[in-house]
Structure formats: C-alpha cells, structure tokens
Amino acid sequence: QVQLVESGGGLVQAGGSLRLSCAASGRTFSDYAMGWFRQAPGKEREFVAAIIWSGGRTGYADSVKGRFTISRDNSKNTVYLQMNSLKPDDTAVYYCAADSVLRREPPRVGATSYSYWGQGTQVTVSS
C-alpha cells in the first residue's frame, strides 16, 4: 500500500512563496511518476504539475508555468512543488499523487493516471 503525506501548506500573501513536500512510502518511489493537483472550493480537481520517475521530464499547467517548479529527490522518497509569485487564484487544497504505471513517460496530466493520493494540504493566498 502506497502512502503519500503532503506538508508545507499555509497562508501567504500574494507575491509570496511556499514549498510543498510529499513524502512517499510503500513501494519503490523512484520507479513512478508523481503529480501535483489542486482543488479550490466549488471547483473540480485540476492538474498542476508532474514529473517522471527519473526527474528528467516535467509538465505544468499553463496557469502555473513559470511560477511553479516540481522536483523530486529519489534518495528521500519525496517530491516537491516550489510555488513562487503566488496569486489569490492559487488558493486550493493541493494533493500529490503517484502514477499507477511503472516508469511511464511523458508525465500525465489526467487524474485517472494516478492511483494513489495524499490527504491534501491547504494553500491560502491573501490579496
């Protein structure tokens, strides 16, 4: 059973930065792509960023491109989301997710490609 635990959320002013972390356990972390999604109140869950098993390829939603950076440290079984220049529209619960297929490329943007999910961490950006 794969477990994902997010941390790093909080309240920040517009223009500020946060770094989210997601610690994984339960299977070989380095063999699977990882993704970040978010869900704002009253909205559907949406793709934010993803990174393949090796860290060699990444993908981003247009809304965060140039502001957010996804990375991973396979020695620590952890994936990160560095969020800069935050906007009030970035306010949401952020979830990390693990791909269901071994060493799949390119990184997937659809939630159905991910079979394991964390509990989420709240990010609130004030104006």
Side-chain angles (χ1 to χ4, degrees):
Q1 182 71 14
V2 176
Q3 291 187 325
L4 303 174
V5 180
E6 301 100 333
S7 61
L11 174 64
V12 64
Q13 289 188 331
S17 298
L18 282 174
R19 188 175 83 153
L20 305 183
S21 300
C22 174
S25 62
R27 69 178 182 184
T28 304
F29 176 79
S30 58
D31 281 337
Y32 294 88
M34 298 292 294
W36 285 96
F37 290 75
R38 66 186 181 186
Q39 187 166 19
K43 295 187 178 181
E44 293 189 354
R45 188 170 299 190
E46 66 174 1
F47 170 77
V48 175
I51 187 167
I52 66 167
W53 58 278
S54 66
R57 293 181 70 176
T58 58
Y60 296 93
D62 287 343
S63 60
V64 306
K65 204 170 290 184
R67 299 187 299 123
F68 290 11
T69 302
I70 188 171
S71 62
R72 65 191 297 160
D73 185 338
N74 287 342
S75 69
K76 296 182 178 179
N77 289 356
T78 301
V79 62
Y80 304 97
L81 185 67
Q82 178 66 45
M83 305 185 296
N84 298 330
S85 302
L86 283 161
K87 306 174 182 179
D89 284 349
D90 295 318
T91 295
V93 177
Y94 283 71
Y95 300 90
C96 74
D99 198 343
S100 56
V101 176
L102 184 72
R103 298 196 174 191
R104 175 157 59 179
E105 302 184 31
R108 294 314 202 250
V109 304
T112 56
S113 294
Y114 298 84
S115 51
Y116 299 99
W117 294 82
Q119 82 289 349
T121 185
Q122 176 71 46
V123 172
T124 303
V125 185
S126 63
S127 56

